[in-house]
Amino acid sequence: MDPVIIVGAGPVGLALSLALAAQNVPSVVLDETSGKEEPRPARTVVLRADTAALVERLGCATVRDEGLRWVGWRGMRKRHQTRQVAFDLGLGGTEEWSEDPASPAAPAAPLHIPQHALARGLRDAIAREPLVRLVTEARLDAVEQDRTGVTAHTRGPDGTWWRGSHLVGCDGARSTVRKLLGVRFPGRTAVERHAVAALRTELPWPGEALLHRQPPWRGAGEEISARPLPDGVWRIDWLLPPRGELVTPDALVARIRETLAGWCDGTTPPYELLDTGVHTLHHRLARRWRVDRVLLAGDAAHLLGAIGTQGLDEGLRDVDNLAWKLALTWHRAAPDALLDSYQSERRAAIAARLRAADQALPVLRGGGGLRGYLPGVTRGHDALLTDGHLGRGPLGASPAYPHSPLAAPYAEGMVPVGTPLGAPVEDVRVTAPDDTTVRLRDRLGRARLLVLLVAPGSGVWERRHWRTAGLMPRLEEAAEALPVASEVLVTDAYPGAPAHAVLLIRPDGHLVAAFAGVLPEELHAAAEAARGSVPEESAPPAGPERGRRALPPGEARSALPPGRTRSAATREEDAPEGARTAPQGGGGRPGGSGAGPTPDAAPRAASGAPSGAATGAATGAAGAPGPGDGRRASQALSPQGSGDGERPPAAVSAEVPAPAEASRGHDRTADVH
């Protein structure tokens, strides 16, 4: 079977290729760059416990070697400390935690790492993986679909055709894949702007992250954050006014000196400036994440990041959600409808995150007025910002999918546990089939369901003593009969679970169901639901009309030929930033007739062949639908798509073209994350 084509070699695309390889799915990663990561100390990412565990599970060694787990979090307002949180640096941390000192739940420490180091670690892991082929200097310019796969054409030293079972666009905010599909990307531009500096110095809080609101010194701005990195390096961010003046090098150096002096008793300590930049944050959400065999992930599908939230975190959660579904579909172990749940689950989660951030922004950034004098208002604002920066609550916690189409049907044998249905399970210690004791997260991401038995006292005895006793024989027999490959694990205790409870867990760590004992029929029905199966009487009709949305009266479908994907590279509403582009006239590539190279005129780099001339050239094709027809065109091409008729959330519905960046001399650092 053809490999999966992944367009884009950022952290999301690289991680997806490794996640698929872990589930025996080959992939080809198309990288339009030379493959060399430019070191940018000011471009860093913060990974929560779940995404850091995912990256480490994929073999990225730089997470351990070049990342730093914070020992604590400190909040300040003016001259006073308002909050302090100590993190759990071990494996026992949880993402649902309380700041009550009496609470046994300590937060898991976030991981802070330069993005170039993360990408390098993923590339090193790919170099050891025979199922992944990384192709550099390969710029996508056309995509064509048919019933059996996807054909893509890339420009480069040698124009090449690629054949794959599916194609995933992980090619960033200006995604070529998204534009070729004609998928709209509405949202808000320049939600927040930050001046950023990476420097080596000593601050009074080694290993602790800091958020300082309304610093007392002149020119400090409304908010400053400081995040530690290894080797005494800090990333410092200054929140800028929405329509403020340009950040010149001299002004940024002045900010650095004043900030360091303000934190170090009036004296600026020695420092080494490593990198600077301006970070502009946008909030956007693609209308559709799946068009037949082509899907979107990461920044190609969504942009977020205001109030301390982390866009890469969500991109990696896209990977975790998509990889096992794509793997089961590729191996023909699940119906194609399983891929529809990727959009249903992840798009809803990101929309909720964007709504929460956009609702909080006016409260946090409105400033002044009576609200500043009301009791408790300041504490509430600090709590909102803490949620975003520490990855909890609606702004940052790992999402749950309680209303997923993969939810298990209700059964009388179900029991409640400490994890709600659809939420990520706790990372408890478990006994694996090989008698080793590992963390539950270590067993995820292998395209198989986990069947977890809660057996108090099992941790005392070796597995060989109880494997053939009690519930185990019946449980293993029930697990072998499941419609998807599974693995039986045993734990001594699980939060809120009674003795002998059996938990069914998805490959991405989300709880499907929990039962009071071994109930083979109920367990089988839950596994069928988790793999996307539907009862025959409710199955959608076969053929081209399967899954299509009914159109309102008077609305016609696009007349595009079946399997064709139109060009939309110049669709101005798709650009998250930059000036509008002039409309293309005449159609076709410059100097050409608008048709791509024929299959006979281009070399083949993978099995299969395109069924005709390439469609979707990046410069547009004559006769293609106009900007107002993109939605209908994508509907006509997506008998499997879901959610194409839903309205976007109000917080992300405005399609505002972004002004071009005006900071001359700072273009090199405008993409700092």
Side-chain angles (χ1 to χ4, degrees):
M1 191 169 175
D2 294 322
V4 173
I5 300 173
I6 299 172
V7 181
V12 172
L14 298 173
L16 179 59
S17 69
L18 290 168
L20 290 173
Q23 299 169 81
N24 296 316
V25 177
S27 63
V28 174
V29 183
L30 303 180
D31 181 6
E32 68 177 27
T33 73
S34 63
K36 297 179 180 179
E37 291 287 335
E38 179 186 5
R40 293 295 312 280
R43 192 178 190 187
T44 67
V45 294
V46 178
L47 302 180
R48 315 301 181 198
D50 60 328
T51 52
L54 167 64
V55 173
E56 192 166 359
R57 192 165 65 240
L58 296 177
C60 180
T62 53
V63 171
R64 297 186 304 271
D65 301 338
E66 301 181 44
L68 178 71
R69 293 188 184 271
W70 300 338
V71 299
W73 165 269
R74 188 181 298 263
M76 296 182 66
R77 185 173 181 270
K78 297 183 178 179
R79 299 184 183 276
H80 305 288
Q81 178 175 304
T82 59
R83 179 163 307 213
Q84 186 171 14
V85 178
F87 292 127
D88 186 337
L89 296 178
L91 294 175
T94 177
E95 293 171 27
E96 293 298 328
W97 51 277
S98 168
E99 293 184 31
D100 182 359
S103 172
L111 177 82
H112 193 201
I113 184 172
Q115 184 164 319
H116 67 265
L118 175 64
R120 175 164 34 84
L122 292 169
R123 287 179 183 270
D124 291 344
I126 285 176
R128 302 187 296 269
E129 179 50 69
L131 287 178
V132 181
R133 179 180 179 185
L134 181 59
V135 183
T136 59
E137 297 182 345
R139 183 178 181 86
L140 182 76
D141 62 4
V143 173
E144 182 176 296
Q145 304 193 55
D146 54 49
R147 293 185 178 182
T148 62
V150 181
T151 302
H153 184 265
T154 55
R155 294 179 301 190
D158 298 309
T160 307
W161 289 102
W162 303 90
R163 181 68 176 176
S165 65
H166 298 79
L167 184 146
V168 185
C170 304
D171 48 344
R174 300 180 183 275
S175 169
T176 299
V177 174
R178 188 186 65 243
K179 294 169 183 176
L180 292 175
L181 294 175
V183 173
R184 299 174 66 189
F185 199 37
R188 298 175 57 195
T189 298
V191 178
E192 285 187 349
R193 294 172 62 242
H194 296 260
V196 182
L199 50 90
R200 183 177 285 109
T201 189
E202 291 186 10
L203 293 180
W205 320 281
E208 290 189 17
L210 170 74
L211 178 67
H212 197 161
R213 302 190 68 210
Q214 300 178 7
W217 52 91
R218 180 178 300 178
E222 178 66 21
E223 187 178 295
I224 308 174
S225 63
R227 303 179 179 95
L229 286 161
D231 301 323
V233 176
W234 293 80
R235 168 173 166 165
I236 303 179
D237 291 50
W238 293 265
L239 179 65
L240 298 173
R243 296 290 184 266
E245 68 284 350
L246 300 181
V247 181
T248 65
D250 290 342
L252 186 54
V253 169
R255 283 178 181 266
I256 293 171
R257 297 183 62 83
E258 292 167 358
T259 299
L260 296 182
W263 286 340
C264 300
D265 298 325
T267 302
T268 301
Y271 68 90
E272 178 186 359
L273 185 59
L274 305 175
D275 193 15
T276 62
V278 175
H279 184 197
T280 303
L281 295 162
H282 313 282
H283 280 181
R284 290 184 180 271
L285 183 63
R287 289 287 177 86
R288 303 181 65 193
W289 292 25
R290 183 189 182 193
V291 178
D292 288 349
R293 291 177 173 268
V294 181
L295 304 104
L296 301 175
D299 285 354
H302 51 77
L303 294 176
L304 72 165
I307 321 179
T309 56
Q310 295 290 319
L312 181 57
D313 243 10
E314 297 302 333
L316 292 173
R317 286 170 181 155
D318 294 346
V319 168
D320 211 14
N321 187 287
L322 176 60
W324 69 274
K325 298 174 180 178
L326 195 51
L328 288 180
T329 305
W330 193 90
H331 288 295
R332 296 187 173 91
D336 183 74
L338 178 63
L339 287 178
D340 288 338
S341 68
Y342 166 64
Q343 172 175 299
S344 301
E345 293 180 345
R346 291 299 302 148
R347 191 179 187 279
I350 296 297
R353 191 84 83 223
L354 287 170
R355 271 194 300 271
D358 285 342
Q359 289 168 0
L361 275 167
V363 176
L364 294 170
R365 309 303 188 209
L370 183 61
R371 289 175 298 176
Y373 299 94
L374 293 177
V377 168
T378 299
R379 290 193 298 272
H381 291 186
D382 290 342
L384 280 173
L385 286 168
T386 299
D387 283 352
H389 283 273
L390 299 189
R392 64 176 193 170
L395 287 173
S398 298
Y401 311 122
H403 306 297
S404 167
L406 308 183
Y410 172 75
E412 291 186 0
M414 287 183 173
V415 294
V417 296
T419 300
L421 295 181
V425 295
E426 295 288 340
D427 189 26
V428 297
R429 290 192 176 276
V430 299
T431 302
D434 59 359
D435 286 339
T436 58
T437 300
V438 297
R439 306 300 304 192
L440 180 57
R441 279 184 178 146
D442 295 339
R443 314 305 292 185
L444 299 176
R446 304 185 186 187
R448 61 192 179 199
L449 298 174
L450 300 182
V451 181
L452 178 64
L453 172 65
V454 181
S458 59
V460 178
W461 307 100
E462 293 184 13
R463 185 182 178 93
R464 61 188 177 89
H465 292 307
W466 46 259
R467 184 173 184 178
T468 58
L471 298 174
M472 284 299 296
R474 190 176 179 211
L475 179 60
E476 291 191 337
E477 181 181 354
E480 289 177 1
L482 294 180
V484 180
S486 63
E487 180 179 60
V488 176
L489 304 172
V490 179
T491 185
D492 194 65
Y494 187 90
H500 307 139
V502 175
L503 281 64
L504 185 65
I505 303 167
R506 297 181 354 175
D508 58 355
H510 289 255
L511 180 64
V512 178
F515 300 99
V518 180
L519 305 174
E521 292 185 3
E522 288 84 347
L523 197 62
H524 191 280
E528 282 283 10
R531 68 189 284 268
S533 298
V534 294
E536 291 184 2
E537 60 272 14
S538 63
E545 293 300 320
R546 178 172 176 249
R548 286 195 183 181
R549 178 180 65 87
L551 292 178
E555 183 176 345
R557 295 193 184 276
S558 168
L560 285 176
R564 291 296 180 95
T565 304
R566 76 176 183 85
S567 167
T570 57
R571 289 276 302 280
E572 52 194 88
E573 66 266 37
D574 284 343
E577 60 180 346
R580 290 177 180 264
T581 56
Q584 297 287 336
R589 294 185 178 94
S593 62
T598 62
D600 296 335
R604 310 287 175 85
S607 62
S611 60
T615 61
T619 54
D629 296 328
R631 187 172 173 188
R632 298 177 202 170
S634 57
Q635 289 167 0
L637 292 168
S638 182
Q640 303 297 331
S642 63
D644 53 316
E646 64 184 348
R647 293 179 61 84
V652 294
S653 61
E655 298 183 47
V656 182
E661 286 292 330
S663 53
R664 293 185 178 178
H666 291 273
D667 291 342
R668 175 178 174 272
T669 58
D671 61 348
V672 169
H673 291 174

